[in-house]
Amino acid sequence: MNGKLFMKKIKKLLFYYNSLSILKKFLLAPIFGLLLVIPFYFFIFFIMLEMKQSVNIANSALIPLNEASQNNILLLEKITNDINSAVSAKEIEWISASDKNADKIRENLNKYINSNYKKEITQSITAFENYYKRAKDVSIKIIQNSYHYQNIENDTKILVQNYNKVDKLFNDLKFLTKENIEKNINSLYNEANIILLYGSFIFFIWFFISSIIIFLVYKDLKYKIQRIIDDSNEIAYGDVNFEKRLKIVSYDELGQIVRSINIFINKLHKSHEKLTKAKEKLDKLYIIDRLTNVYNRVKIDEIIEIELKRKRRYDHTFSVILIDIDYFKLVNDTHGHLIGDLILKEFSQILKDNIRDTDFLGRWGGEEFIIICTQTDQKGTFALAENLRREIEKFDFTTVGKITASFGIYECRDEDNENSVIENADKALYQAKRDGRNKVVCYNQ
């Protein structure tokens, strides 16, 4: 009975909670925040543990550097002793015995070159290299000159100065790391005291600010919901930007709405991409000759129309080359249509490889091809056609061997239309065939 009464009270509280507005729901947070006073101090305790862990991590990098600095001081003394021993024994070969300790110093310094002490370590490396090089050079000179040469006093003085500088830099780095280790430890206790001192004040400030923040969050949510509605309306009316996605990050009901809309946009985007690709494929099939993969007659007619309009408006000249493969019917009759198709592919490839980027190549029909030469007069077009004729003439076609082609050229005039352009180019082509084929003929009215 008591269990049923308890469940009844729970259901009543849930019903009351669901009947509240969003703002009132949010204002419940500061009230329940009063219950967080005790957990707040536990939170401070865990923060202190994290701070201590952070200090330990920092010291884990400082302590090895401090130890390396102490080790470098000892290694520096060993190097000095090794060089002094070589000088005392007058054995130049013994000097190289110090290289092992010098390499250890370099290794210790370079290991921490990318730490927060890069400047100090770089100075130490430079000073050490200067000292070590001079120490070896001076020692060799002393041995070779039996302890006497003109600048021995000056060299020795500079060497001692270099040694003292290196020793000071090594000791400074050791004391600097040691000092920072102590600072890190002391900072832990100082920050803990500050947290404990101001902890109570933070709670009351939090309670006041939380009410303001919750109100602002409510306004922000209202704005985001309105944005979702606006974007949804854009989708509904077909004015959607397929690159756009809702960027609201949330894990409540609002987040579910956002994810659903984004999924919907993604599906629309994919469908749109499929339709676009299908349209591009259809457009390509509409304007491209399937055998030779050059423009077909539909596209060429469109290009000629455009070029005529440009000529009338901007006075941009253009020319047309009409090309016909000589005796192509004989190829089909002798070798079959499959070989004939292969010859057409090879022939079109020669044309594509030798025209300019600004030219348009198309298959006019059967074994006839056409080239639209933009902003090119008859002279320039003739040079292009003659080059194409030579390339075709020297090419060794599959099975057939050598074949030739005839060319008819026409430079467009102001009074021309689509039909007259082709008709005049065709007249020139006919003249080229009548003159014996394998020729380039320009239309001459």
Side-chain angles (χ1 to χ4, degrees):
M1 186 67 180
N2 292 333
K4 290 182 178 180
L5 183 62
F6 176 75
M7 291 300 297
K8 190 175 181 180
K9 289 182 178 180
I10 292 294
K11 289 180 180 179
K12 188 176 181 179
L13 287 173
L14 289 173
F15 176 78
Y16 176 74
Y17 174 78
N18 290 328
S19 65
L20 294 175
S21 65
I22 295 177
L23 178 59
K24 290 180 179 179
K25 289 178 181 178
F26 277 21
L27 288 177
L28 291 173
I31 296 174
F32 286 107
L34 293 173
L35 301 175
L36 298 177
V37 174
I38 296 176
F40 178 78
Y41 286 101
F42 282 102
F43 173 74
I44 293 175
F45 175 74
F46 288 116
I47 288 295
M48 290 174 61
L49 291 179
E50 291 180 2
M51 290 169 55
K52 183 177 180 180
Q53 184 179 4
S54 299
V55 172
N56 290 337
I57 292 173
N59 288 344
S60 65
L62 287 171
I63 291 172
L65 179 56
N66 180 265
E67 293 176 351
S69 300
Q70 296 180 16
N71 190 29
N72 286 343
I73 294 172
L74 297 176
L75 291 172
L76 183 64
E77 294 179 359
K78 289 182 180 180
I79 288 173
T80 304
N81 292 334
D82 290 342
I83 292 177
N84 288 339
S85 298
V87 172
S88 299
K90 295 185 178 181
E91 294 291 342
I92 294 178
E93 293 79 5
W94 290 10
I95 295 176
S96 60
S98 62
D99 289 342
K100 186 176 181 180
N101 292 325
D103 289 337
K104 289 181 179 179
I105 290 177
R106 295 187 185 103
E107 182 181 352
N108 289 337
L109 293 173
N110 288 322
K111 188 186 296 184
Y112 303 98
I113 190 66
N114 293 321
S115 66
N116 294 331
Y117 303 92
K118 182 177 181 179
K119 179 181 177 182
E120 292 80 1
I121 292 174
T122 302
Q123 291 176 347
S124 299
I125 292 174
T126 302
F128 172 72
E129 295 295 348
N130 291 337
Y131 160 72
Y132 188 60
K133 182 179 183 302
R134 179 172 286 276
K136 292 176 72 174
D137 293 343
V138 171
S139 299
I140 293 171
K141 289 172 65 176
I142 290 174
I143 293 172
Q144 289 177 343
N145 294 279
S146 300
Y147 303 103
H148 295 288
Y149 65 90
Q150 186 175 0
N151 294 322
I152 188 170
E153 291 183 2
N154 184 54
D155 287 349
T156 305
K157 182 179 179 181
I158 294 174
L159 183 61
V160 171
Q161 290 175 352
N162 289 349
Y163 174 83
N164 291 335
K165 182 178 179 180
V166 174
D167 184 64
K168 182 177 182 303
L169 288 172
F170 284 177
N171 279 286
D172 289 346
L173 185 58
K174 182 185 75 172
F175 288 120
L176 179 61
T177 52
K178 181 180 178 182
E179 183 181 9
N180 287 337
I181 291 171
E182 293 173 351
K183 284 181 179 179
N184 286 338
I185 295 174
N186 292 332
S187 66
L188 172 66
Y189 298 103
N190 293 333
E191 291 179 7
N193 290 331
I194 292 173
I195 291 175
L196 291 173
L197 179 63
Y198 292 102
S200 300
F201 296 101
I202 291 174
F203 171 75
F204 292 106
I205 293 172
W206 169 84
F207 183 80
F208 174 74
I209 295 177
S210 62
S211 300
I212 299 175
I213 292 175
I214 289 172
F215 177 75
L216 294 175
V217 168
Y218 167 75
K219 299 291 289 184
D220 182 58
L221 284 174
K222 185 178 179 181
Y223 166 75
K224 290 178 179 178
I225 291 172
Q226 187 61 48
R227 281 194 58 187
I228 294 173
I229 294 172
D230 294 340
D231 291 342
S232 300
N233 287 335
E234 287 184 6
I235 295 172
Y237 288 102
D239 194 21
V240 63
N241 178 4
F242 287 112
E243 300 300 326
K244 181 180 179 182
R245 298 292 185 275
L246 301 180
K247 298 180 181 179
I248 301 174
V249 180
S250 177
Y251 297 98
D252 54 10
E253 295 81 3
L254 184 61
Q256 292 177 6
I257 294 173
V258 171
R259 287 192 290 273
S260 298
I261 292 176
N262 282 338
I263 291 171
F264 180 59
I265 294 175
N266 285 335
K267 289 183 178 179
L268 283 178
H269 194 180
K270 290 179 180 178
S271 298
H272 181 265
E273 287 180 340
K274 289 180 180 179
L275 288 173
T276 302
K277 290 179 180 178
K279 183 178 180 299
E280 290 175 353
K281 188 175 181 179
L282 287 173
D283 290 342
K284 186 176 181 180
L285 290 174
Y286 179 70
I287 64 172
I288 297 296
D289 179 66
R290 295 183 64 181
L291 176 64
T292 58
N293 202 30
V294 299
Y295 288 132
N296 60 20
R297 191 161 182 168
V298 173
K299 182 63 176 178
I300 291 298
D301 284 337
E302 180 183 328
I303 294 172
I304 292 174
E305 182 180 357
I306 292 172
E307 291 300 319
L308 284 170
K309 290 179 179 178
R310 291 180 63 204
K311 177 169 180 57
R312 296 182 188 117
R313 184 168 183 177
Y314 304 108
D315 196 27
H316 287 175
T317 187
F318 76 97
S319 301
V320 173
I321 307 175
L322 202 57
I323 310 163
D324 185 80
I325 303 176
D326 296 331
Y327 303 111
F328 185 74
K329 185 177 183 300
L330 182 61
V331 173
N332 280 333
D333 294 341
T334 305
H335 302 284
H337 288 281
L338 291 179
I339 296 298
D341 290 346
L342 181 59
I343 298 305
L344 289 173
K345 291 179 181 179
E346 292 177 342
F347 188 86
S348 63
Q349 190 61 48
I350 296 173
L351 298 179
K352 281 191 285 188
D353 292 340
N354 291 278
I355 62 174
R356 304 165 304 179
D357 293 337
T358 56
D359 297 330
F360 297 95
L361 171 62
R363 185 181 178 192
W364 191 244
E367 68 274 20
E368 284 190 335
F369 292 82
I370 188 170
I371 302 174
I372 311 299
C373 303
T374 60
Q375 298 188 29
T376 309
D377 58 13
Q378 180 176 286
K379 182 179 179 181
T381 307
F382 181 85
L384 173 62
E386 184 61 29
N387 180 62
L388 292 172
R389 187 193 64 78
R390 289 194 298 269
E391 292 294 329
I392 293 167
E393 187 179 32
K394 69 182 181 181
F395 187 80
D396 191 15
F397 288 86
T398 302
T399 303
V400 177
K402 301 295 183 179
I403 64 173
T404 60
S406 301
F407 296 76
I409 295 175
Y410 177 68
E411 180 182 349
C412 179
R413 298 183 173 89
D414 292 335
E415 64 274 11
D416 279 320
N417 54 39
E418 293 87 342
N419 294 329
S420 65
V421 169
I422 299 300
E423 183 181 350
N424 292 333
D426 191 55
K427 289 178 180 179
L429 175 61
Y430 178 75
Q431 184 63 41
K433 286 186 171 293
R434 191 169 59 182
D435 290 346
R437 293 181 170 83
N438 193 23
K439 294 183 181 298
V440 178
V441 174
C442 297
Y443 176 80
N444 190 342
Q445 191 175 14

